C-alpha cells in the first residue's frame, strides 16, 4: 500500500519550494499534476504546475465522475477552479506520491482514497513574513494583482482556522521559518514511512 504525502499551507508559506526540494531529495516519489481554469502565470508551464483547462472541460469531467476534488474561488478576476482528476496518474496500491494542495482539497482527497493512505504536512509561517512573501512574488508577475493577494490572504485565515484543522485531524505543524530545517524534518519523516512500508511489503 502506497501513501499520499500531502503538503498544504496558507498562500506564500513556502510549500511550492518545499515540494520541489523534496522531490530533489526523494526522486522516487510520484507526483500528481492538478487542473485549473485560472490563467497561466509568468514562469508556469502547462502540464508542470497545472493542466490549464476550461470550465467546459471541468463540467465534462464532473459528469464522467472523474473529479476527485474541486475548489472554486471567487477572485478579483472572476471564478477560478482548481481540481484533481482520477485520470490514471495515481496507482495508490503500488506507488508513493507527493501532492500539494489546500486543507479542503486534502479533506476531499482523504474521503476519496481513505485516510489510511494520507500523510498530511501542514506548513506554517509567521503572518507578516507570509504576506511580504506574497507581495514580493506578485511584483514579478507581468500584471500584478495586489487586490488578489489581499483576498487570498484573508481567505486563508478562514480556510485554515483551528476548527477546520481539527475536523481534518491535522495535529502537527511544520514551521517554515528556517527552510533547511523544515525541509530536513519532512524528508526524514517521508523516508521513515516509505522504508517502513517497504519492509512490511517484503515481510508479506
Amino acid at each position: 500500500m502506497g501513501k499520499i504525502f500531502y503538503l498544504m499551507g496558507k498562500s506564500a508559506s513556502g510549500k511550492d519550494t518545499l515540494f520541489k526540494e523534496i522531490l530533489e531529495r526523494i526522486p522516487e516519489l510520484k507526483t500528481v499534476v492538478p487542473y485549473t481554469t485560472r490563467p497561466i502565470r509568468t514562469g508556469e508551464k502547462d502540464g508542470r504546475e497545472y493542466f490549464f483547462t476550461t470550465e467546459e472541460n471541468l463540467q465534462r469531467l464532473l459528469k464522467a465522475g472523474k473529479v476527485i476534488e474541486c475548489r472554486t474561488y471567487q477572485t478579483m478576476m472572476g471564478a477560478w477552479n482548481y481540481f484533481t482528476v482520477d485520470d490514471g496518474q495515481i496507482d495508490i496500491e503500488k506507488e508513493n506520491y507527493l501532492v500539494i494542495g489546500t486543507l479542503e482539497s486534502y479533506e476531499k482527497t482523504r474521503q476519496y482514497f481513505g485516510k489510511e493512505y494520507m500523510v498530511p504536512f501542514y506548513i506554517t509561517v509567521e503572518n507578516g513574513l507570509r504576506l511580504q512573501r506574497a507581495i514580493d512574488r506578485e511584483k514579478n508577475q507581468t500584471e500584478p494583482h495586489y487586490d488578489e493577494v489581499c483576498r487570498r490572504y484573508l481567505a486563508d485565515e478562514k480556510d485554515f482556522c483551528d476548527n477546520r484543522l481539527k475536523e481534518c485531524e491535522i495535529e502537527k505543524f511544520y514551521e517554515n521559518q528556517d527552510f533547511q530545517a523544515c525541509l530536513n524534518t519532512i524528508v526524514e519523516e517521508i523516508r521513515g514511512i516509505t522504508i517502513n512500508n517497504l519492509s512490511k511489503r517484503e515481510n508479506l
Side-chain angles (χ1 to χ4, degrees):
M1 181 178 74
K3 294 288 186 182
I4 298 176
F5 299 103
Y6 213 99
L7 283 180
M8 70 192 94
K10 297 174 182 176
S11 178
S13 60
K15 56 187 182 293
D16 293 294
T17 306
L18 282 167
F19 180 84
K20 294 174 184 176
E21 289 294 326
I22 292 167
L23 289 177
E24 286 286 330
R25 299 269 195 99
I26 317 176
E28 62 268 27
L29 289 175
K30 305 297 182 181
T31 60
V32 179
V33 180
Y35 292 66
T36 184
T37 60
R38 74 156 168 77
I40 192 168
R41 291 174 180 163
T42 303
E44 292 180 328
K45 182 179 180 181
D46 186 35
R48 185 177 62 191
E49 290 85 3
Y50 295 95
F51 289 115
F52 294 91
T53 188
T54 62
E55 176 68 30
E56 291 74 20
N57 191 42
L58 168 58
Q59 294 305 316
R60 180 183 64 80
L61 291 166
L62 283 168
K63 289 180 181 178
K66 293 291 186 179
V67 176
I68 296 171
E69 58 84 24
C70 179
R71 296 143 282 135
T72 301
Y73 299 102
Q74 299 299 328
T75 77
M76 299 301 176
M77 284 74 72
W80 290 351
N81 299 291
Y82 294 81
F83 53 104
T84 308
V85 177
D86 191 354
D87 57 0
Q89 293 187 70
I90 301 176
D91 186 350
I92 195 60
E93 293 299 331
K94 295 181 179 179
E95 305 287 354
N96 294 300
Y97 295 85
L98 183 65
V99 175
I100 189 169
T102 65
L103 186 62
E104 180 184 359
S105 65
Y106 167 78
E107 181 181 34
K108 292 179 179 178
T109 303
R110 188 175 73 157
Q111 291 170 354
Y112 190 92
F113 288 106
K115 67 179 183 179
E116 67 271 18
Y117 291 98
M118 308 297 292
V119 181
F121 290 96
Y122 175 46
I123 313 303
T124 63
V125 172
E126 187 274 324
N127 280 340
L129 176 58
R130 187 169 62 82
L131 180 57
Q132 187 60 58
R133 286 179 180 177
I135 293 171
D136 291 342
R137 182 174 65 185
E138 195 66 20
K139 285 180 182 179
N140 294 323
Q141 298 301 310
T142 304
E143 295 183 17
H145 293 283
Y146 297 109
D147 49 357
E148 175 58 19
V149 170
C150 295
R151 183 208 65 80
R152 194 160 58 236
Y153 179 89
L154 293 173
D156 279 340
E157 293 303 301
K158 178 180 178 181
D159 294 342
F160 287 93
C161 69
D162 290 343
N163 286 340
R164 289 290 294 123
L165 290 168
K166 289 178 182 177
E167 288 172 3
C168 293
E169 300 179 273
I170 306 297
E171 300 175 346
K172 187 173 181 179
F173 298 174
Y174 296 80
E175 175 63 43
N176 192 17
Q177 191 74 24
D178 182 328
F179 178 80
Q180 286 300 323
C182 183
L183 173 63
N184 290 339
T185 297
I186 294 173
V187 166
E188 287 174 8
E189 291 193 19
I190 291 175
R191 282 179 173 159
I193 292 170
T194 54
I195 290 171
N196 186 49
N197 278 354
L198 181 59
S199 297
K200 289 180 180 179
R201 290 180 188 175
E202 291 175 346
N203 290 330
L204 290 177

